[in-house]
Amino acid sequence: MGPREDRSGAASNGARLARPGRRRTALLAILGCAALTGLVTAIALSRSDGSGLPQNENTVATGASPQAASQAAAGDLRQVSGAGPGPRLEAAAEPAQPAAGDLAGRVICIDPGHAATADAGVEPIGPGSAEMKVKDPGGTSGIVTGVREPVVTLAVSLYLREILESRGATVVMTRSGPDYSGGNRERAQVANDAGADLLVRIHADGSADPSRRGVSTLYPALIPGWTDDIHTQSRAAAQAVQAAMVSGLGTADLGIVERSDITGFNWADVPAILVEVGFMSNAEEDVMLSDAAYQQRVAMALSQGIGSFLS
Ligand SMILES: [Zn+2]
């Protein structure tokens, strides 16, 4: 997916490119008149250099690289100032000092759901519980693509890590490759050990009903001794992330869902949520979820929700 993004990008470039052409015509007209006398020429040239005409127009109108044009479209006028790829561009292209970022000092644990190999071992669903659950049933898989859920959750998680780190956050991953050994208790422990401000668990949904689609965010029910310390904050995080996902992806809103049976919640000592980013049992969402551009949109929406919860 992502055609909507592509189209809007092209439209933006087009609008940006159209303006220089018009201004260039005006500039040529000024120069034409100015040619009548040297004095007027000097005045006209001085005006064209310093009259406030956007300098980037020259770059774009005289055949700047697509890269420069896209930088102009992105509003980075500094990068394309001057009339071409001369020393000024080189100087401007020096890497900027990384900003501290709005998430500096924050620690976020990302847990990409499942792993390449399912784990039929069992573990207690909470501290001291006799109720046991399978460590990793393996997750769902795409009805059209056949792609497995752990592949999608990892891809989205790696994009999310990149975005969060660019905003200054410290990111801890329960896994950053296809393999993982341990159960959901251990996944929660990774977040606990890191003293994470939030544990974000990424999953994709499956349903026997192929028409079912949309996103939901799970959060821990209040269970005294287990989740009473994280319930309220987790709920707030779920609300923030769910809202950002719905508005960022324009997909069906299946709401936030309280759960008492999630091992990875009941062992958590830090606020925790689990985001179901779409249904792999729905043909359209399955295809989208394996598309890199859509995975990046999901990651961006997640990061926005996480950011609004943490700020
Ligand atoms: Zn899952």
Side-chain angles (χ1 to χ4, degrees):
M1 284 299 283
R4 237 171 53 185
E5 271 185 331
D6 291 344
R7 273 201 297 276
S8 70
S12 164
N13 277 343
R16 191 60 83 151
L17 288 166
R19 285 170 54 203
R22 198 174 67 237
R23 291 225 173 88
R24 191 186 189 197
T25 305
L27 179 61
L28 289 173
I30 291 170
L31 291 174
C33 297
L36 291 173
T37 71
L39 178 62
V40 179
T41 301
I43 293 168
L45 287 175
S46 113
R47 283 177 62 190
S48 73
D49 283 340
S51 64
L53 288 172
Q55 300 237 8
N56 64 307
E57 72 177 12
N58 298 330
T59 309
V60 176
T62 52
S65 67
Q67 189 191 2
S70 88
Q71 282 167 340
D76 189 352
L77 302 181
R78 184 180 58 83
Q79 294 256 358
V80 292
S81 63
R88 292 186 64 184
L89 180 60
E90 216 168 274
E94 278 171 15
Q97 286 298 314
D102 62 327
L103 295 180
R106 299 297 196 158
V107 179
I108 297 146
C109 181
I110 302 175
D111 177 31
H114 311 288
T117 312
D119 186 343
V122 295
E123 59 188 345
I125 68 158
S129 175
E131 189 180 341
M132 308 295 272
K133 258 180 92 174
V134 170
K135 288 185 173 181
D136 184 359
T140 187
S141 61
I143 192 169
V144 174
T145 63
V147 173
R148 289 190 56 221
E149 181 186 344
V151 174
V152 170
T153 61
L154 180 62
V156 169
S157 296
L158 293 175
Y159 286 129
L160 177 59
R161 173 173 72 176
E162 197 177 328
I163 296 167
L164 293 173
E165 285 181 342
S166 77
R167 293 173 66 176
T170 298
V171 174
V172 176
M173 308 283 291
T174 57
R175 69 175 174 105
S176 54
D179 299 317
Y180 174 81
S181 95
N184 290 306
R185 174 183 177 175
E186 283 89 347
R187 290 179 191 251
Q189 197 58 44
V190 171
N192 296 343
D193 291 345
D197 294 293
L198 184 63
L199 164 59
V200 183
R201 313 185 64 204
I202 311 292
H203 281 251
D205 236 330
S207 169
D209 175 1
S211 71
R212 193 155 164 77
R213 56 184 298 155
V215 299
S216 62
T217 304
L218 319 186
Y219 67 98
L222 199 164
I223 304 173
W226 284 2
T227 58
D228 43 352
D229 50 342
I230 62 167
H231 167 78
T232 304
Q233 272 195 294
S234 300
R235 184 186 163 87
Q239 282 171 329
V241 169
Q242 178 68 14
M245 286 287 283
V246 169
S247 75
L249 301 176
T251 187
D253 182 1
L254 302 181
I256 62 170
V257 183
E258 190 173 275
R259 292 284 290 265
S260 60
D261 61 333
I262 306 286
T263 310
F265 285 165
N266 295 336
W267 286 94
D269 296 325
V270 301
I273 58 174
L274 187 155
V275 188
E276 298 279 9
V277 299
F279 280 81
M280 298 187 77
S281 47
N282 176 271
E284 197 182 337
E285 290 198 342
D286 170 32
V287 170
M288 291 194 307
L289 286 167
S290 275
D291 179 90
Y294 189 77
Q295 291 167 348
Q296 287 168 39
R297 282 180 61 197
V298 171
M300 183 59 73
L302 289 167
S303 74
Q304 283 164 353
I306 293 165
S308 74
F309 165 68
L310 290 176
S311 63

